[in-house]
Amino acid sequence: MKQTALANSIPFASIRVGYLNYLVIFIAGLCAPLGFAPFHMPGLMILSLAFLYANLNNCSRKQSFYLGFFYGIGYFGFGVSWVIVSIHDYGQLNYVLSALVTLIFVMYLALFPALTAYFFKVLEFKQHKFRSIILFSVLWCISEYLRATLFGGFPWLFVGTTLIDTPIRYLTPLLGIYGLSLLCAFVSAFLPQVVHDNSTKRYVYAIILS
């Protein structure tokens, strides 16, 4: 009750919290491309996506869309920033127009994680966490496939690519890049569950010790 009264006494308190949340999600998206070459830090990719998933568990459908969108802006804004150079050098546009075209392109790409987050909230299994984890992984994988095929496709920055420099790479001939993306998304979504659920922790510890 005290927290509610305090929130009501501060004008636009919820809006400020929302903006801060979107900013943090944006920063998480910025960290994701560090999992790719030349940085080769796949752990950051997993933690970044895990942070997005954790935030999706406590928001509305509309908020989930914006969370996914701001995550995508950070993810692709950093990950495809090289496009501005290509447009300038080979498209013969000045840097202002090149930056504008790149921004529009990044916003288009950001729609894929945004729609993934939205449909996850529409279809999630609130009483079955494990099913929700699988659902998120599948939806993320589908979004990457659509991004690679629609309108000529843009098959860059698949999350599974970050696993190429890990021992998981030996599964690549069996799983393919989409299988690796599915695995990466699953681990990312499973991580918050391990952190917050004591029963899941005990299960994971039992597997490790065995």
Side-chain angles (χ1 to χ4, degrees):
M1 294 294 292
K2 292 182 178 179
Q3 291 179 345
T4 303
L6 179 61
N8 291 333
S9 66
I10 303 176
F12 307 111
S14 60
I15 295 178
R16 290 175 182 174
V17 171
Y19 283 147
L20 179 60
N21 201 21
Y22 296 139
L23 175 61
V24 174
I25 283 291
F26 170 75
I27 295 173
L30 281 176
C31 294
L34 295 176
F36 299 93
F39 306 103
H40 301 290
M41 292 185 283
L44 282 180
M45 177 73 254
I46 292 175
L47 290 176
S48 172
L49 200 55
F51 190 79
L52 172 63
Y53 179 81
N55 278 268
L56 292 179
N57 287 319
N58 300 298
C59 67
S60 66
R61 294 176 181 178
K62 181 179 179 180
Q63 290 171 333
S64 69
F65 179 87
Y66 287 120
L67 286 172
F69 185 75
F70 279 97
Y71 181 85
I73 291 293
Y75 184 22
F76 295 109
F78 181 22
V80 302
S81 56
W82 52 268
V83 170
I84 188 174
V85 178
S86 298
I87 295 174
H88 175 267
D89 292 349
Y90 300 103
Q92 302 300 314
L93 294 179
N94 59 51
Y95 275 114
V96 175
L97 289 178
S98 298
L100 179 60
V101 172
T102 302
L103 176 60
I104 294 173
F105 182 55
V106 168
M107 292 176 68
Y108 161 72
L109 294 176
L111 290 175
F112 288 94
L115 291 173
T116 298
Y118 177 80
F119 283 111
F120 169 74
K121 291 301 294 184
V122 172
L123 302 172
E124 72 173 327
F125 302 92
K126 294 184 178 180
Q127 303 302 323
H128 299 86
K129 296 296 184 181
F130 189 73
R131 292 182 184 178
S132 292
I133 291 172
I134 295 177
L135 173 65
F136 177 81
S137 307
V138 171
L139 289 176
W140 187 273
C141 193
I142 291 174
S143 75
E144 289 196 338
Y145 174 78
L146 292 176
R147 176 162 58 85
T149 55
L150 290 178
F151 309 115
F154 188 74
W156 291 74
L157 297 178
F158 288 169
V159 296
T161 308
T162 61
L163 301 178
I164 295 298
D165 293 325
T166 70
I168 303 298
R169 66 179 179 272
Y170 296 111
L171 296 177
T172 304
L174 179 64
L175 301 179
I177 187 58
Y178 293 112
L180 292 183
S181 289
L182 184 69
L183 178 61
C184 185
F186 177 84
V187 172
S188 298
F190 189 68
L191 189 58
Q193 183 71 11
V194 173
V195 173
H196 294 293
D197 191 333
N198 289 328
S199 62
T200 305
K201 286 181 183 179
R202 290 193 293 269
Y203 181 72
V204 172
Y205 291 154
I207 293 177
I208 294 175
L209 292 176
S210 62

